[in-house]
Amino acid sequence: MKRVALLIFGLLSVSLSVLAENSINGRVLDQATRQAIDYANVSVTHEGETVPAAGTITDATGNFTLHNMKNGTYVLTISFMGYQDVQRTVSLSGQAVSLGNILLQENTQALNEVEVVGQNSSMRFELDKKVFTVDQNIASAGASVTDVLENIPSVDVDQEGNISLRNSEDVEIWINGKPAGLNSENRAQVLQQMPAGTIEKIEVITNPSAKFSPEGSSGIINLVMKKDSKAGFYGSVQAGLNYSLSAPWNVPPGANVGFNINFNAGPVDGYFNVGYRLHVSNGGNKTDRYNLSGTGSEVLDSSLIVSHLVQDGLQTRRGGGMFARGGLNFHLSQHSTLGVSGFGMVSEPKVLNGRNTYDRTYTMSDALGNITREYERQQAGRNWHPGGEVTVDYSLDYEEHKLSVSATYNHFTWNNETDYIQLEAGHDTTYQKQNSYNKEPGIEIQADYEWKPTQQSRLEAGYAYNHDWTSSLADAYDVIGGTDKEIYAYYELFNSLTQNHALYITYGNRFWDKLSVQVGLRGEYYMRHLESTYKDNTGAEQDSYAAFPNKKDTAYFQLFPSAYISYDFGNGHELQLNYTRRINRPWGHQINPRMDFSDSTNISYGNVDLLPAYSNNLELNYLKTWERHTLSAGLFWHYRERVVQNIKYMDGDIMKNTYLNLSSRQELGIEIVAKNRLFGELLQLTTSANFYWNNIAKVHDNIIHQGLTIPVDLAEQNIYAGSVRINAQFMFTKNFSGQLSANYRSPRVIAQGTTTHNYSIDLGLRHTFLNKQLALALNVRDLLDSRARRNTTWGDGFWQFSENRWHSRNISLTLTYNFGNNRQRRGERSEMMGGDDSDDSGNVESSNDF
C-alpha cells in the first residue's frame, strides 16, 4: 500500500513538473514599501511585435503566472496606475521561468494628473468567501460594526444584536483572522460599541478549511481592521449626531466622535484609532400568551384556553463608551517583521444617567376574557463592560517559506446592576435588585508554517492553543424599608475553564492550470471544567443545587477534515466543490444555570449538561465574471446533530426557558449573489438571495434537567424559506453619491414554532468637498420602522406570540475630515480597477488559492 501511495505521489510530482513547463511567474511589489500590488496588469508580446500574446493580473499577494507559453523570446510589461511601467525580456525553451520580486516605482506626476469620477467596488467575490469593503458603504459613516453587518449578504442581525449566517446563529466572529475573545456572550456589546470606521473590510467565509478553527457550524465572519503603511502620515477626524424617530420623543440625541492616524517612518509603521459613542435607542416588546389545558399547536385552539397574559414593554437604552486600537510594526529585515497591536473599550454608565429603562405592563384574564390581575413592572439598569486585547506577533516571509507566530491576551468584563419596582393596585409596591458580574480573560498562542515547493502547490501546518476562563457572580435582593434582603435562591457563583489544543495540516496542488485540489485535517483536544456554588435557604453556601453537582469535567478529542476541488473553465468561469466538518460548543448563558427574573413571568436559565453539536457541510459554488458584472451561485447542504435549541415550558403560570440538545437539523439551499455596474458609473447594484428547505427532526422524550422532568414532544417541522437583500450605490456626480439597502426575510422554523417574515430599508447620502478631504453623510436607518423579531411558539400547556424591538428608526449626520499626506493611496488606485486593497495581516486566505 505504501508503494502504491509513493507511486501515485511520484506520478503527481512528475505531472506537476511537466505542467509547469513554459510558464512565467513573479511577484509585483511597491519599491518604497515592499507591499504587494494586486490587480497590476501583466502582458507579454513576442520580441519585435506589438500585439500581446498573453496577459493576466496579479492576485492579492502580488503574484502572477502565465501558463502554456510557446517557446520563444518575449517582452514582459507590468503596468499599474500611478506607477512607472517595468519591462523584462524573457526567453522560454521548455522550462518555467521565475522572475522573483519585481519592484514598481511610483509616478508622482501621473498621480497628480489622475481624476476618477467612477465609484469604487464595495464587494469582491471569490469561490469560498465574499469580501465587503466598509469604506464604500455610506451607511457606515458614524455607525457601529453591528449596523454595517445588517447590510451584508447572507448575514442577519436580530433585535438583541445576535448575528446569524445563512439562518444559523452558530457563526464565529473574528478580528484580523483570530477569535479575539469574542463569543456569543460578549460580541453583541463589543460590535455595537466598535466604530465601523475602524474596519477596512469584512470577509464572510461559509466553509473554512482545516487551517481555521472549526467553531461555528455556519462559518466565520472576519473583521479586518484598517492598517496601512503608506509613506508619511495621514488620518481623519469624524463627528456625528443621531436621533431616534420613534416614541418616546423626550430622549436626547446620540453622538459619536473619532480620530485615526497612520504613519510610516522607514523601518517602523503604525496606526492609532480612538472613538467615543454616546448611544441612545428606543425599543420594546410584546407578549401574547395563552395557558392551555392541553398541548398547543400552530393554530390556537380556543377551547383549550385556561388563562391569557398580555405583556407590553417600552425600553430605552442609553450610555457612552470609548473604543481605541493601535499597533506598531518593526521591520527587522527585508523578510522579518515584529508587531505589537491591541484594542480596548470602556463604557461610561453615568452618561445620561447611564440607565437602561424598561417599563412593562401585565394584564391577566381568565378563559372568558375577564381581567383577573393588572400590574406594572419598572426596570432600570446600569451596564458597563471594559475590556480589550493585546497581541505580539512575528513573521518570517521568504519566497517559498513563511512562518508566523503570535500570542494574544484578552480580558473582558461584563457587569449589570438592575433595580425593579412592581406597582399593583391594592397591593404594596415591591422593590427588588438583581446583579451580575462577569470576567472573561483568555490566552491564545498560534504558530503557522507555509511551504510552496512550486508555484502550483502549497503545504500548510500549524498549532493553536486557547485557554479561557469565565467567572460569573449573580445575586438578587428584596428591598424592604430601604434595606436589602438577599434572595438566596438566586445567588450563584459560576466558574468555567476551557483549554483547547489544535494541530492542522493542509496540502493543495494545481493541475493543468485548471484543476485545484486541497485537502486538510485538523485535530483538537478540548477540556472544560465547570464549577458552581449556591446558597440554601439559610444563606449558607452549598456545593450542589437541584441535583447539579458543583463540579463537572468534560474532555474529548475530535478530527475535522476539509476538502476542496475547484476547476477553472476559463473566460471567467470557475466551479468549486467543498466539504468540512465543524462544531458548535455550548457557551456562556447556554450552560450557566443562573436564573434571570427580569421578566417575572418568563424566567430563563442555562443547562450544564449540554453537549457540543456537530455539522457536516457540503457546498458547490460557481463564479462567473464579466467586465462589469459578477455572478456567484452556490448550492449548500448542512446536516447538524445534537442541535442546541431554546426550549420553553410552563411551571404553573410562569414560563421557563432553557437550552437542550435536540436530535438533528438540516438545510438544503441555494445562494445567489450578483454585482452589476449599470448606466456607466451611475449605479452599482448588489443583489443577494437565499432559498432553502429547513427540516427539524421530531423529538419525543422526557428530559431530566436539574432535578426536573421536562416533557419534550416536538413534531417534525419542514419549511421552505428564503431571504433577499439589495444594495444600490449611486454616483450622481464625482462628489455626490447615495445608497439604498433593502432586505426581506421569509418565515422560518424554530424548535417549538416559527418566526414571521421581516423587512427593512436604509437610505444614505454623501457629499464630499475640498478635493474629497471633507465628507458629509446623512443616513436614515430602518426607514419603515419595521425591524423586529416576531415568533409564534407552542408546546405542552401554552401558545405564545412575542415581538421584540431592539432599536427603532433613526437619522444620523456625520462629518469626516481627512488630513496628512495628499498623495493617493495604493488601495484607492486598486479600487479604481475594481479591486480590493489590503495588506496580508488578518486576512483569511482563499481555500483554493495555491
Side-chain angles (χ1 to χ4, degrees), residues 338-413:
L338 176 67
V340 180
S341 61
F343 71 85
M345 52 184 283
V346 294
S347 60
E348 178 51 70
K350 296 180 180 179
V351 177
L352 298 178
N353 295 323
R355 298 177 75 80
N356 300 323
T357 61
Y358 210 151
D359 295 339
R360 294 184 174 97
T361 59
Y362 297 82
T363 302
M364 300 179 180
S365 57
D366 59 22
L368 300 177
N370 301 312
I371 296 177
T372 58
R373 185 185 180 190
E374 288 183 294
Y375 64 95
E376 180 182 357
R377 188 172 176 86
Q378 299 176 356
Q379 172 182 332
R382 291 174 294 167
N383 302 274
W384 66 102
H385 36 81
E389 73 156 33
V390 61
T391 298
V392 178
D393 60 81
Y394 174 79
S395 63
L396 194 63
D397 187 353
Y398 288 91
E399 189 169 343
E400 294 184 1
H401 303 274
K402 292 182 181 180
L403 175 67
S404 62
V405 181
S406 66
T408 300
Y409 174 77
N410 56 71
H411 190 287
F412 293 95
T413 301

Side-chain angles (χ1 to χ4, degrees), residues 39 47 81 110 112 143 171 253 318 322 344 394 401 508 528 607 614 657 721 767 794 804 829:
Y39 292 93
E47 193 173 29
M81 184 180 293
N112 294 329
V171 58
R318 60 186 73 183
M322 184 173 68
Y394 174 79
H401 303 274
R528 186 180 71 184
N607 178 5
Y614 297 93
N657 298 261
H767 200 291
W794 56 86
N804 293 278
R829 294 191 299 273

Side-chain angles (χ1 to χ4, degrees), residues 13-248:
S13 301
V14 172
S15 300
L16 178 62
S17 64
V18 172
L19 293 169
E21 292 179 354
N22 275 350
S23 64
I24 306 172
N25 63 75
R27 190 184 188 196
V28 180
L29 304 176
D30 183 297
Q31 180 173 309
T33 66
R34 291 301 195 271
Q35 270 195 310
I37 300 179
D38 51 354
Y39 292 93
N41 295 311
V42 182
S43 64
V44 292
T45 58
H46 288 286
E47 193 173 29
E49 298 182 4
T50 59
V51 179
T56 186
I57 60 174
T58 57
D59 62 17
T61 60
N63 289 298
F64 70 89
T65 303
L66 294 166
H67 301 284
N68 299 326
M69 302 291 295
K70 295 181 180 179
N71 290 338
T73 302
Y74 297 89
V75 176
L76 180 141
T77 303
I78 299 176
S79 61
F80 192 68
M81 184 180 293
Y83 287 86
Q84 298 176 10
D85 293 353
V86 170
Q87 290 188 338
R88 298 284 179 86
T89 300
V90 182
S91 296
L92 294 177
S93 57
Q95 82 284 349
V97 174
S98 178
L99 300 178
N101 292 334
I102 302 172
L103 305 180
L104 298 190
Q105 183 176 358
E106 282 191 346
N107 186 341
T108 55
Q109 180 178 356
L111 282 174
N112 294 329
E113 296 172 353
V114 171
E115 181 182 32
V116 178
V117 181
Q119 57 178 320
N120 299 333
S121 175
S122 63
M123 186 169 293
R124 176 166 55 89
F125 301 102
E126 297 178 7
L127 278 173
D128 56 349
K129 70 177 177 181
K130 299 172 184 64
V131 183
F132 182 86
T133 305
V134 175
D135 278 346
Q136 303 310 312
N137 184 1
I138 296 176
S140 66
S144 68
V145 173
T146 300
D147 299 329
V148 176
L149 288 173
E150 291 179 351
N151 288 312
I152 292 183
S154 306
V155 178
D156 289 285
V157 183
D158 71 12
Q159 293 300 303
E160 280 73 43
N162 299 311
I163 298 168
S164 60
L165 177 62
R166 286 182 176 173
N167 191 41
S168 173
E169 293 183 7
D170 301 336
V171 58
E172 287 290 290
I173 309 296
W174 286 5
I175 297 177
N176 286 341
K178 294 179 292 184
L182 298 186
N183 54 56
S184 59
E185 292 296 290
N186 60 35
R187 65 192 185 197
Q189 293 88 348
V190 173
L191 300 182
Q192 182 62 34
Q193 192 165 322
M194 185 183 296
T198 62
I199 303 297
E200 176 187 337
K201 61 185 178 181
I202 298 174
E203 300 174 332
V204 179
I205 310 104
T206 54
N207 226 12
S209 73
K211 177 180 179 179
F212 308 104
S213 168
E215 282 280 4
S217 58
S218 295
I220 297 170
I221 298 174
N222 183 39
L223 310 177
V224 181
M225 311 295 279
K226 285 183 177 178
K227 178 183 175 183
D228 209 332
S229 56
K230 183 185 66 172
F233 78 96
Y234 60 93
S236 66
V237 179
Q238 186 179 88
L241 293 172
N242 63 83
Y243 185 74
S244 176
L245 297 178
S246 298

Side-chain angles (χ1 to χ4, degrees), residues 587-606:
W587 186 268
H589 67 281
Q590 293 181 335
I591 59 175
N592 189 339
R594 178 183 75 90
M595 289 197 174
D596 179 4
F597 62 82
S598 55
D599 181 351
S600 58
T601 66
N602 192 357
I603 296 176
S604 60
Y605 60 94

Side-chain angles (χ1 to χ4, degrees), residues 422-435:
Q422 189 159 306
L423 307 170
E424 185 173 1
H427 294 77
D428 292 335
T429 300
T430 61
Y431 302 87
Q432 290 180 318
K433 292 181 178 180
Q434 185 176 29
N435 305 316

